[in-house]
């Protein structure tokens, strides 16, 4: 790896960690009520929304009320996105005259964007009108991640409350997340992206004369190309900040109109992990001990850096079978070296591998390179990061509440080892919490493995593969890993816009989102009722290196035990075949 | 296909209501 590559990686993590504290402090103020500097501007709008919707600030909710409000709100969003796609042909802001999206694709996309997965079976520039992109998909980008933030805040309140029933108000948490965090950050990032050349218009697609004429599949001369247009920057900003990941164009962030320069690339990959990292600090502030937040952030960072190193090494080493044909795959001043298939030359290997790791560690799912073209081990990295349950940074809100569930499991295991009742931040972790945690941890692997197993025996599902053999198996496994963990990235080798993948994948996304959020809220409700146990000599400190190591170990162990057999049938055997 | 999508959506909603009821019942048993 070049010195330039090292510099960019170090700069990325330094900026990320440096921004986590101020943003995390700000978000804690947003949720805990003290005035923030945006109150003067957005306060009247916030109060108007509450008045219009009949929301009272002092109406606290039990975990069940909170869960029902969350589910109803998301159900309405799901139905709206579905309906919008089905009738877009007769609605305005459709300069290309796109017709209705098919029912199964509409179902899949509605489930995908409501659940913050943003898996895309469709190609944006050939399927969706501008109205659908803006009113359906972009709005869901905001509110789906605000939903994750709200559930997280409810869980944090559950941890810190003493003998209480109420977890706060879902509508207020949702509104404040959107108004005070997501909208301002997206506005600033969208402007920065426009300055780099990202599109933001409502124009019809524009024809451009090719510099060099070519021919199509039927050997007819092609002299013109139709350039897609659209309000991309406003969607891309929240797509990255909200760990959504759904691209405006089919090629996602590899497309030059979505991600034109190295600076736009840096800003976007920073935005992917920005809020998940800052929320760790928010957690620390809200529970009154910032060391707790740093410990969680340290555990996430250790796992990410480890897998990032493996990914960069695998891609930089390249494919020895290609080198055997005399191709120079050594990095030099003139070329990136390594495996550049499926990667953009303006990003190179380091920025592609960094993006692949960040987008799958977080449940973002946007891509700036095609993961299907990675070396077997390079492709294993994003796949396994998703298999860890999207808790390594994870989705906005959902990643941290997932990691807190792992923290409960970690103290439970530690408690078993030393024979003491497990506690986390003064709350006893008992049988009920562990049962709910088990549900949260087991549902995604169950979804991934059952759906993959069904797909590999159905001819209709197998026919969507681009490649036969182990790589084709990897394409199917990756698809369901992505949908079953609410990530949304694609290996790019699978033609998934068919009824089987649309319906089964849509259901997998719904289950992996809401069947994890409901038990998380149930745990919040259970913890809120408990007293806080004073710290004693038998309390396991949860802010030190020992706990960080324990947490990392538990996350990796669950991931390895759940998925190594499946990985052995895909990328691991593919790697052995490559080096044989 | 539209009917299949509606049917699986309704089934999911019903199952999720069942999940809430199950979590609530287990919580009641734990207390």
């Amino acid at each position: 790896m070049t010195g330039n590559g090292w510099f960019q990686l170090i700069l990325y993590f330094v900026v990320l960690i440096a921004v986590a504290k101020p943003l995390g402090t700000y978000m804690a103020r947003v949720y805990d009520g003290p005035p923030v500097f945006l109150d003067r501007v957005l306060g009247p709008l916030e109060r108007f929304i509450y008045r219009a919707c009949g929301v009272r600030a002092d109406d606290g909710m039990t975990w069940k009320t909170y869960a029902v409000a969350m589910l109803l709100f998301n159900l309405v969003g799901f139905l709206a996105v579905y309906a919008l796609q089905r009738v877009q042909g007769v609605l305005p802001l459709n300069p290309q005259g796109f017709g209705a999206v098919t029912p199964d694709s509409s179902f899949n996309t509605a489930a995908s964007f409501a659940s913050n997965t943003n898996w895309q079976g469709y190609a944006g520039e050939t399927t969706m009108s501008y109205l659908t992109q803006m009113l359906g998909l972009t709005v869901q980008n905001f509110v789906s991640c605000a939903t994750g933030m709200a559930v997280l805040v409810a869980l944090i309140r559950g941890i810190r409350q003493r003998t209480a029933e109420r977890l706060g108000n879902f509508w207020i948490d949702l509104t404040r997340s959107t108004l005070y965090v997501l909208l301002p950050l997206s506005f600033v990032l969208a402007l920065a992206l426009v300055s780099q050349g990202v599109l933001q218009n409502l124009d019809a697609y524009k024809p451009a004369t090719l510099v060099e004429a070519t021919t199509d599949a039927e050997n007819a001369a092609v002299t013109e190309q139709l350039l897609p247009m659209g309000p991309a920057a406003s969607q891309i900003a929240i797509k990255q900040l909200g760990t959504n990941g759904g691209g405006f164009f089919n090629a996602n962030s590899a497309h030059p109109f979505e991600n034109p320069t190295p600076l736009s690339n840096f800003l976007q990959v920073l935005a992917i992990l920005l809020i998940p990292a800052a929320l760790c600090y928010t957690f620390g502030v809200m529970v009154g001990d910032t060391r707790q937040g740093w410990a969680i952030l340290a555990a996430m960072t250790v796992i990410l850096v480890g897998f990032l190193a493996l990914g960069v090494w695998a891609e930089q080493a390249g494919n020895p079978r290609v080198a055997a044909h005399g191709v120079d795959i050594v990095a030099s001043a003139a070329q990136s070296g390594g495996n550049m298939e499926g990667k953009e030359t303006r990003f190179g290997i380091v920025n592609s591998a960094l993006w692949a790791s960040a987008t799958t560690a977080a449940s973002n799912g946007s891509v700036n390179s095609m993961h299907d073209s990675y070396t077997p081990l390079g492709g294993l990295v994003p796949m396994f990061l998703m298999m860890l349950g999207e808790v390594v940074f994870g989705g906005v809100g959902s990643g941290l509440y997932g990691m807190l569930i792992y923290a409960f499991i970690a103290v439970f295991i530690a408690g078993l080892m030393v024979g003491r009742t497990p506690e986390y931040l003064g709350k006893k972790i008992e049988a009920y919490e562990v049962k709910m945690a088990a549900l949260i941890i087991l549902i995604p692997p169950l979804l991934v493995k059952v759906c993959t197993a069904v797909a590999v025996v159905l001819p209709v599902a197998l026919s969507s593969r681009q490649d036969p053999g182990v790589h084709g198996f990897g394409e199917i496994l990756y698809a369901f890993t992505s949908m079953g963990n609410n990530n949304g990235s694609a290996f790019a080798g699978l033609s998934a816009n068919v009824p089987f993948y649309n319906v089964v994948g849509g259901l997998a996304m719904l289950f992996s989102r809401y069947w994890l959020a409901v038990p998380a809220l149930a745990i919040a409700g259970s913890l809120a009722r408990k007293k806080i146990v004073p710290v004693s000599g038998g309390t396991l400190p949860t802010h030190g290196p020992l706990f960080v190591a324990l947490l990392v170990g538990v996350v990796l162990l669950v991931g390895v035990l759940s998925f190594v057999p499946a990985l052995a049938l895909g990328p691991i055997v593919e790697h052995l075949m490559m080096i044989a | 296909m539209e009917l299949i999508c509606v049917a699986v959506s309704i089934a999911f909603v019903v199952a999720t209501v069942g999940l809430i009821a199950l979590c609530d019942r287990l919580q009641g048993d734990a207390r």
Side-chain angles (χ1 to χ4, degrees), chain A residues 534-567:
Chain A
V535 175
S536 69
T539 303
L540 171 72
T542 52
H543 57 264
L546 179 65
F547 181 72
V548 171
L550 184 64
L551 186 55
V552 169
V554 169
V555 171
L556 292 178
L557 194 63
V558 171
V560 165
L561 290 176
S562 300
F563 285 109
V564 157
L567 289 169

Side-chain angles (χ1 to χ4, degrees), chain A residues 243-255:
Chain A
T243 58
N244 295 282
F248 195 88
F249 304 114
N250 191 32
N252 210 293
S253 293
H255 197 293

Side-chain angles (χ1 to χ4, degrees), chain A residues 32-293:
Chain A
D32 270 347
V36 292
F37 68 96
L38 286 170
D39 265 335
R40 284 187 183 176
V41 185
L42 297 171
L45 178 60
E46 183 191 2
R47 288 188 286 278
F48 169 77
I49 291 170
Y50 296 155
R51 271 200 306 277
C53 299
V55 175
R56 284 184 302 189
D58 54 353
D59 275 354
M61 293 177 168
T62 63
W63 80 264
K64 275 186 291 179
T65 324
Y66 205 98
V68 170
M70 182 267 292
L71 290 168
L72 281 177
F73 178 76
N74 280 253
L75 178 63
V76 170
F78 168 84
L79 293 174
V81 175
Y82 182 86
L84 205 49
Q85 293 173 86
R86 297 291 292 140
V87 299
Q88 70 171 9
V90 295
L91 295 175
L93 292 175
N94 187 5
Q96 298 310 118
F98 294 133
V101 183
T102 60
D104 54 300
S105 180
S106 299
F107 169 78
N108 185 277
T109 304
S112 176
F113 278 73
S115 64
N116 197 250
T117 310
N118 304 67
W119 166 270
Q120 295 172 289
Y122 64 89
E125 65 268 43
T126 56
T127 313
M128 299 295 182
S129 72
Y130 293 161
L131 187 73
T132 306
Q133 294 265 26
M134 291 191 294
L135 192 60
L137 308 185
T138 306
V139 168
Q140 284 304 308
N141 280 354
F142 279 98
V143 296
S144 66
C145 78
T147 298
M149 293 165 91
V151 174
L152 169 68
V153 173
L155 180 59
I156 295 174
R157 292 195 188 111
I159 292 171
R160 74 176 185 184
Q161 314 261 55
R162 296 162 192 238
T163 59
E165 287 279 330
R166 311 281 167 178
L167 297 172
N169 186 303
F170 172 75
W171 306 113
I172 290 173
D173 294 334
L174 179 86
T175 306
R176 290 183 71 81
S177 300
T178 308
L179 270 187
Y180 291 96
V181 181
L182 301 174
L183 272 172
L185 286 175
S186 300
F187 185 74
V188 172
L189 182 57
L191 286 181
L193 294 179
V194 168
S195 78
Q196 292 300 299
V198 177
L199 289 185
Q200 183 70 21
N201 63 44
L202 296 173
D203 297 346
Y205 293 5
K206 293 183 174 159
T209 304
L210 295 179
V211 174
E212 194 174 323
T214 184
T215 54
D216 64 14
E218 287 155 4
N219 230 17
V222 178
T223 57
E224 269 195 353
Q225 180 184 7
L226 198 59
L227 298 179
M229 298 283 123
S234 52
Q235 182 168 331
I236 291 157
I238 185 60
K239 135 190 161 181
Q240 309 299 21
L241 286 163
T243 58
N244 295 282
F248 195 88
F249 304 114
N250 191 32
N252 210 293
S253 293
H255 197 293
F257 290 170
E258 277 204 41
N259 190 10
T261 67
L263 180 57
S264 70
N265 190 72
F266 181 82
L267 292 174
Q268 289 189 45
V269 76
L270 182 67
I272 289 174
L273 296 186
L274 183 65
I275 298 179
L279 277 172
C280 294
Y281 194 79
T282 304
F283 162 69
V285 173
M286 289 181 74
V287 297
D289 182 357
T290 53
R291 296 173 304 173
Q292 303 293 337

Side-chain angles (χ1 to χ4, degrees), chain A residues 64 82 86 432 515 522 529, chain B residues 2 9 16 23-24 27 31:
Chain A
K64 275 186 291 179
Y82 182 86
R86 297 291 292 140
Y432 179 75
W515 278 49
R529 284 201 194 91
Chain B
E2 196 112 52
S9 302
T16 306
C23 294
D24 190 40
Q27 201 169 96
R31 263 188 271 163

Side-chain angles (χ1 to χ4, degrees), chain A residues 321-393:
Chain A
R321 294 198 170 198
V322 173
H325 289 285
V327 177
D328 181 6
I329 60 168
V330 179
S332 67
Q335 62 151 353
S336 296
N339 174 33
M340 275 299 288
E341 182 189 312
K343 297 183 179 67
E344 299 292 301
T345 51
R346 67 187 182 282
F347 304 140
I349 285 183
V350 169
N351 276 310
S352 300
L354 171 62
W355 190 297
S357 301
T359 197
T360 48
S363 73
N364 183 277
S366 64
V367 294
N368 74 349
S369 58
M370 298 303 119
H371 298 178
D372 196 37
S373 296
Y374 276 38
T375 59
L377 286 184
L380 180 145
V381 167
M383 209 185 305
F384 192 66
L385 280 168
M386 291 188 285
M387 288 171 171
L388 295 179
E390 293 300 4
V391 298
V392 184
F393 291 91

